């Protein structure tokens, strides 16, 4: 056939991105971004007065369709549609929604439009912590064997806590949901007309494994009798292997996108997971860190091991024949953005403007002039809870060492360092659990924007960090899966060998800084354990008081 | 005689202030402020490249003389000098300097001008912590009986740690010092030509008591053999009671000020201590809180008790016949100023400008709309260490509970609350130690500028707070002592009964807020004890690493 290109579509937190990739060498031919019109819904539902409680984070599924309608036609502008051999998509996860049996999102039904639980729950929706606590407590008391695959804890971000929250707080929406589905699988359904469910999100987020399937009916019944048949009533036991074909582009999707009907579409996948082959991580011991608003860590191993606080391990979950381990930090770039938006005074903005640089860049430059430890500051990077290794959304950020001489760039540096310490905790946990880390590749938006950040990671970890040249790693990885289902390659490993992005730059640890960071890291780990492992529960108490206060102020009971 | 006025001169941290007071009713007739030309020296010596190490804070004694030359003539402009019956001064303390035997500051000798130890050590000079540790360790090992009068710990801010630091780090300056003297006594010396030493600073800051005098020669010798005779070589055993006359205005001071030669000058006193009679606190159980850059607490009691972490207790130290207890918080307004200067983003400044209010005022308004606990934040108010009850300058500030939804006014409120919790710790310690607190009067600059702050103090303490009408309480109190030495009244108690400032407003605790704060206070106390009493030494480790790093960066050893 005449095709030369594969299309990857990456559905992120704030926008969707289409990238057209040359199948022969992986070069990125065209890219287009669609910023979601409704973004992240964390204060109220669109065009309404319906306010959301703390910790909520929703999305509008119409934004995903608009990505297909706007971004895809733009990247196809210079090519003939028959030149596209296949399409792959990747998505944030666990991002899930309730739909009717035919896939219509419940939030698009007029009578459910003002019901928060009818909308998409974004990965960073953290309001299902009580349900996550229940999921974990019941699993522990029943001795569920699958719990150890998830570092001993299921996160509030994942599928069943979110599903259970719908049941608890809005049973009618739960009842009306013919399907509960990952947004990744839902968008493939919209593209092809075929409902599939992929191994990666099922394995990493919905407690499924190739060997054992889902947890038992008894387990779900123990959570809530009405939840006993959630898999058979709202989901499916048929799980499709990544790397396979979900279907072909349907007529409606062809009209949206300009793709030819029948163009092969790959089974859905996750942004972090497709990044591994995109940057050439296809062998055991290779760790890719996707650095953006949050950090996601994907490590390949050749055997099943039990690692504290990892998000999960899935056989064939990243690359066939290997075990894909996932860990994460729930806020990284988000913390730096919060800082610049909320805690940087006018004189820094003015200086940045005079110098013609952005504020992040100026702070980075000022912070780079500091020696390790010079600020006297240390932070815990839990502005959005802790995903790995503590798996606890109720933790919060902390800064210690503040004095009257503390300056903004010093706090900024302490925040960069805190996220690096958080990554080191994860790497240490992998190695302690028996999964070696031999090479680290960073990709995502942050590594290209902040040299100090990358040098700090190298110094704190005491290892070289390769930065991938691609700034569109997820979309490129998705496109590789498109190339595979389009027949250009026999497997994702073969595709990666030809199409992976090269290394742009390697950051090498500085011996002196590394030594200084060892001291600070020891302090970080002690505070991490003190506040994160139950030694001092101040963060949880403050959050509880805050939530009670907000509810009392709103004059109503929790939404249940 | 024809006199009707008394003059009070208040020497503060950033400026000196003269206030002319009507002896009949205490009304303030004229006031003038002289902002110190050299302010607080914490980066380098004036007109030099001599950099100061972390924790240093010096002043220029010429600024005190310039206060006499500028502020005093201004307030005398509308009166005849013979109408001034007497002069009183008050000063920050312990603020001390080395001079020659005739009172010339060593920093004014050309060959010592570039030596940091030749300058005035301001109260908030915190670099003598190693010496304070020694002073305490030796006292404990010898079982010195006076230690319990100071809450079991001598602060690095006080006289002997500062004197010992001079000896340790610049023995030549120590040797050249004919006198080591409180700036309060030094300025009275400049006014009168007579060297006196007052009971208040001797008792509160230099380990002197009416009953026992100074610590023994053996004790000082145990600190350092060269320090054995510090009292007899550099100080004086003659201590003059407050309320007495130091001397009359000399010819030189008359030329500076426009006062008549011979006008009576009171024995020197301390800003916080003169504030008690200035606001009418003259009976046991009355607590005055002087709220400004820092908080100082002066409580009157009718007997000697041992209170944890109080700065000291001195018989006749505030009012004859009573015991004056002192406690303090080393940064309060300073923290709010730091926050506004370093951590408030442009959009808040812009909104304040649009609304025509200052940034503090806008933040106060936004923060006042929050309910107790709504921010989910808690802070430890140790931006400048902790004076009471922990007496530890090496502690640092902490904020916990930060999240991506945290906004500047929420942090601002958490900082206000932290200082209120700090005051409650002190009040609780007084009562636990057996010194009741029956009434609280606030004065100083802050209570008039921030209503939310005062309501928060009332709510956190669960007690009404009277705010004194006077915004010049220290200068008014100093003037009262001038009225006493001028013969207008027989004692400071009589003067206070006629001249004290009225109560402008009383803040009454709100029951619901008070209950909410009880929960947060319990968390504050736990963190206070954890980080302040040795449970977790992270603050000290960070400070040690910071200081080592700065020294290594400067490429030189400590100044010893």
């Amino acid at each position: 056939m005449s095709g030369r290109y594969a299309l990857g579509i990456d559905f992120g937190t704030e926008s969707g991105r289409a990238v057209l990739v040359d199948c022969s060498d992986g070069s990125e031919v065209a890219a287009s971004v669609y910023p979601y019109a409704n973004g992240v819904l964390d204060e109220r539902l669109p065009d309404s007065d319906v306010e959301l409680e703390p910790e909520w984070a929703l999305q509008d599924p119409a934004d995903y369709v608009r990505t297909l309608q706007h971004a895809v036609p733009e990247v196809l502008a210079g090519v003939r549609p028959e030149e596209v051999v296949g399409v792959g998509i990747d998505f944030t996860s666990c991002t899930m929604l309730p739909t009717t049996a035919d896939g219509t999102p419940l939030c698009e039904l007029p009578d459910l439009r003002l019901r928060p639980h009818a909308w998409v729950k974004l990965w960073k929706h953290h309001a299902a912590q009580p349900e996550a606590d229940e999921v974990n407590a019941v699993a522990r008391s029943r001795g569920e064997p699958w719990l150890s695959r998830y570092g001993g804890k299921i996160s509030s971000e994942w599928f069943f806590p979110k599903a259970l929250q719908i049941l608890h707080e809005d049973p009618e929406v739960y009842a009306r949901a013919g399907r509960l589905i990952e947004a990744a699988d839902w968008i493939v359904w919209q593209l092809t007309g075929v409902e599939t469910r992929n191994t990666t999100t099922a394995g990493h987020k919905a407690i499924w494994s190739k060997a054992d399937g889902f947890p038992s009916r008894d387990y779900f019944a123990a959570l809530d009798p009405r939840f006993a048949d959630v898999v058979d009533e709202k989901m499916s036991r048929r799980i499709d292997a990544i790397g396979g074909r979900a279907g072909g582009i349907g007529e409606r999707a062809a009209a949206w996108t300009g793709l030819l009907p029948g163009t092969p579409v790959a089974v859905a996948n996750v942004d972090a997971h497709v990044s591994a082959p995109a940057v050439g991580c296809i062998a055991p011991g290779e760790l890719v860190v996707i650095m953006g608003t949050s950090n996601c860590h994907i490590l390949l191993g050749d055997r099943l091991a039990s690692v504290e606080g990892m998000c999960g391990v899935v056989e064939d979950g990243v690359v066939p024949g290997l075990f894909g381990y996932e860990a994460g930090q729930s806020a990284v770039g988000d913390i730096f953005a919060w800082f610049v938006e909320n805690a940087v005074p006018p004189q820094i903005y003015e200086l940045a403007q005079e110098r013609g640089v952005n504020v992040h860049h100026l702070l980075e430059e000022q912070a780079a002039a500091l020696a390790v430890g010079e600020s006297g500051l240390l932070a815990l990077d839990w502005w959005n809870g802790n995903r790995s290794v503590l798996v606890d959304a109720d933790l919060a950020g902390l800064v210690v060492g503040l004095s009257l001489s503390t300056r903004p760039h010093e706090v900024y540096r302490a925040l960069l360092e805190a996220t690096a310490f958080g990554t080191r905790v994860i790497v240490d946990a992998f190695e302690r659990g028996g999964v070696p880390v031999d090479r680290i590749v960073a990709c995502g938006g942050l590594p290209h924007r902040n040299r100090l950040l990358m040098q700090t990671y190298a110094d704190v970890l005491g290892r070289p960090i390769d930065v991938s040249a691609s700034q569109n790693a997820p979309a490129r990885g998705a496109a590789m899966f498109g190339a595979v289902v389009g027949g250009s390659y026999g497997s994702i490993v073969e595709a990666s060998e030809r199409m992976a992005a090269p290394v742009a730059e390697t950051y090498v640890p500085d011996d002196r800084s590394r030594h200084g960071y060892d001291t600070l890291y020891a302090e970080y780990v002690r505070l991490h354990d003190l506040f994160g492992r139950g030694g001092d529960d101040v963060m949880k108490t403050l959050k509880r008081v805050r939530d009670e206060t907000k509810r009392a102020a709103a004059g109503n009971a929790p939404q249940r």
Side-chain angles (χ1 to χ4, degrees), chain A:
Chain A
M1 85 188 266
S2 64
R4 319 174 22 192
Y5 301 115
L7 176 67
I9 317 173
D10 164 50
F11 294 86
T13 299
E14 301 285 352
S15 60
R17 176 189 304 260
V19 175
L20 195 68
V21 170
D22 189 315
C23 291
S24 65
D25 61 1
S27 58
E28 295 167 19
V29 177
S32 171
V33 175
Y34 172 74
Y36 298 150
N38 283 321
V40 176
L41 306 170
D42 52 10
E43 297 191 344
R44 60 182 57 78
L45 294 182
D47 311 319
S48 82
D49 296 331
V50 178
E51 293 198 1
L52 300 175
E53 300 218 357
E55 309 292 351
W56 279 62
L58 306 180
Q59 280 188 331
D60 181 356
D63 274 327
Y64 310 146
V65 172
R66 286 190 283 261
T67 299
L68 300 179
Q69 294 169 321
H70 291 88
V72 176
E74 272 197 38
V75 297
L76 296 181
V79 300
R80 285 171 291 122
E82 58 269 30
E83 291 181 292
V84 179
V85 298
V87 178
I89 74 102
D90 69 274
F91 224 105
T92 64
S93 174
C94 168
T95 294
M96 57 86 76
L97 68 160
T99 71
T100 60
D102 70 357
T104 306
L106 293 194
C107 63
E108 293 180 0
L109 303 182
D111 66 324
L112 295 180
R113 193 145 178 87
L114 298 180
R115 301 276 273 269
H117 280 294
W119 293 71
V120 177
K121 288 190 168 57
L122 183 61
W123 64 272
K124 67 177 171 179
H125 174 89
H126 282 155
Q129 188 62 50
E131 284 76 16
D133 293 344
E134 238 177 293
V135 161
N136 288 312
V138 172
R140 272 194 301 274
S141 76
R142 292 172 47 91
E144 293 289 342
W146 43 260
L147 198 57
S148 69
R149 285 206 315 275
Y150 301 97
K153 259 193 199 171
I154 300 301
S155 161
S156 72
E157 292 182 0
W158 296 357
F159 198 88
F160 290 116
K162 282 173 170 162
L164 194 55
Q165 194 198 5
I166 302 177
L167 174 62
H168 279 168
E169 299 185 2
D170 196 340
E172 189 195 340
V173 162
Y174 184 81
R176 300 262 304 265
R179 319 304 283 155
L180 295 172
I181 189 165
E182 278 277 348
D185 294 319
W186 181 81
I187 200 72
V188 166
W189 193 356
Q190 303 313 299
L191 283 167
T192 62
V194 182
E195 181 187 355
T196 55
R197 305 211 170 216
N198 72 86
T199 44
T200 304
T201 59
H204 278 287
K205 313 294 177 181
I207 322 186
W208 173 89
S209 78
K210 196 160 95 172
D212 303 320
F214 287 102
S216 67
R217 185 178 187 281
D218 284 354
Y219 170 73
F220 288 118
L223 288 174
D224 191 311
R226 298 168 293 173
F227 208 56
D229 293 306
V230 58
V231 173
D232 292 314
E233 286 175 4
K234 316 277 185 188
M235 301 168 65
S236 165
R237 293 196 185 272
R238 180 186 153 175
I239 306 297
D240 296 281
I242 57 161
R245 182 179 184 277
I249 290 287
E251 295 291 343
R252 188 177 59 160
W256 289 341
T257 58
L259 289 162
L260 285 187
T263 306
V265 177
V267 167
N269 211 324
V270 178
D271 48 7
H273 296 66
V274 298
S275 296
V279 303
C281 285
I282 46 174
E286 293 189 322
L287 171 69
V288 57
V289 187
I290 303 98
M291 302 177 65
T293 55
S294 63
N295 272 2
C296 188
H297 316 72
I298 302 289
L299 174 63
L300 295 171
D302 54 13
R303 60 193 188 83
L304 186 65
S306 176
V307 178
E308 188 204 3
M310 67 183 158
C311 304
V313 48
V314 175
E315 191 175 354
D316 305 342
V318 175
V319 166
L322 295 177
F323 289 84
Y325 291 84
E326 182 187 352
Q329 292 172 268
S330 36
V332 178
D334 268 354
I335 301 179
F336 314 148
W338 170 89
F339 181 74
V340 166
E341 178 79 8
N342 290 286
V344 172
Q347 62 271 25
I348 304 281
Y349 277 84
E350 285 156 19
L351 185 58
Q353 194 167 22
E354 269 173 39
R355 301 260 311 276
V357 296
N358 78 28
V359 171
H360 283 278
H361 187 90
L362 177 64
L363 289 168
E364 181 199 342
E365 184 187 304
Q366 293 176 331
L370 296 167
V372 175
E374 185 177 342
S375 73
L377 296 171
L378 184 66
L380 290 178
D381 51 320
W382 301 342
W383 264 247
N384 195 20
N386 177 293
R387 198 179 303 149
S388 301
V389 300
L390 299 169
V391 198
D392 192 337
D394 282 343
L395 298 175
L398 177 145
V399 181
V400 61
L402 295 156
S403 81
L404 296 175
S405 58
T406 299
R407 294 294 169 263
H409 65 284
E410 296 180 311
V411 181
Y412 182 74
R413 177 160 176 149
L415 298 177
L416 302 189
E417 290 170 349
T419 69
F421 294 142
T423 294
R424 182 164 163 188
V425 167
I426 289 167
V427 169
D428 286 356
F430 274 127
E431 299 223 305
R432 213 168 39 238
V435 189
V437 175
D438 301 323
R439 182 189 170 210
I440 302 178
V441 182
C443 65
L446 272 181
H448 296 273
R449 287 202 300 270
N450 197 322
R451 298 188 60 82
L452 174 63
L453 182 71
M454 298 320 299
Q455 187 60 51
T456 302
Y457 273 53
D459 292 344
V460 165
L461 286 158
R463 300 159 181 260
I465 314 261
D466 289 336
V467 174
S468 172
S470 176
Q471 297 201 39
N472 297 319
R476 180 193 285 241
M480 287 184 194
F481 281 95
V484 171
V485 296
S488 297
Y489 295 101
S491 73
I492 189 64
V493 171
E494 280 175 33
S496 174
E497 282 164 356
R498 294 288 295 276
M499 294 173 69
V503 169
E505 184 166 10
T506 299
Y507 288 84
V508 177
D510 171 83
D511 270 347
R512 191 167 155 183
S513 297
R514 182 181 166 174
H515 175 74
Y517 278 132
D518 282 342
T519 304
L520 295 181
Y521 180 63
E523 298 296 312
Y524 176 91
V525 168
R526 211 189 48 259
L527 293 184
H528 172 281
D529 291 350
L530 174 67
F531 291 107
R533 298 190 192 277
D536 191 297
D537 270 346
V538 63
M539 293 173 182
K540 293 178 181 230
T541 304
L542 291 172
K543 201 161 263 197
R544 180 178 53 73
V545 169
R546 182 196 73 178
D547 292 350
E548 286 168 6
T549 306
K550 287 195 175 178
R551 284 187 185 121
N556 55 20
Q559 297 185 340
R560 359 193 122 212

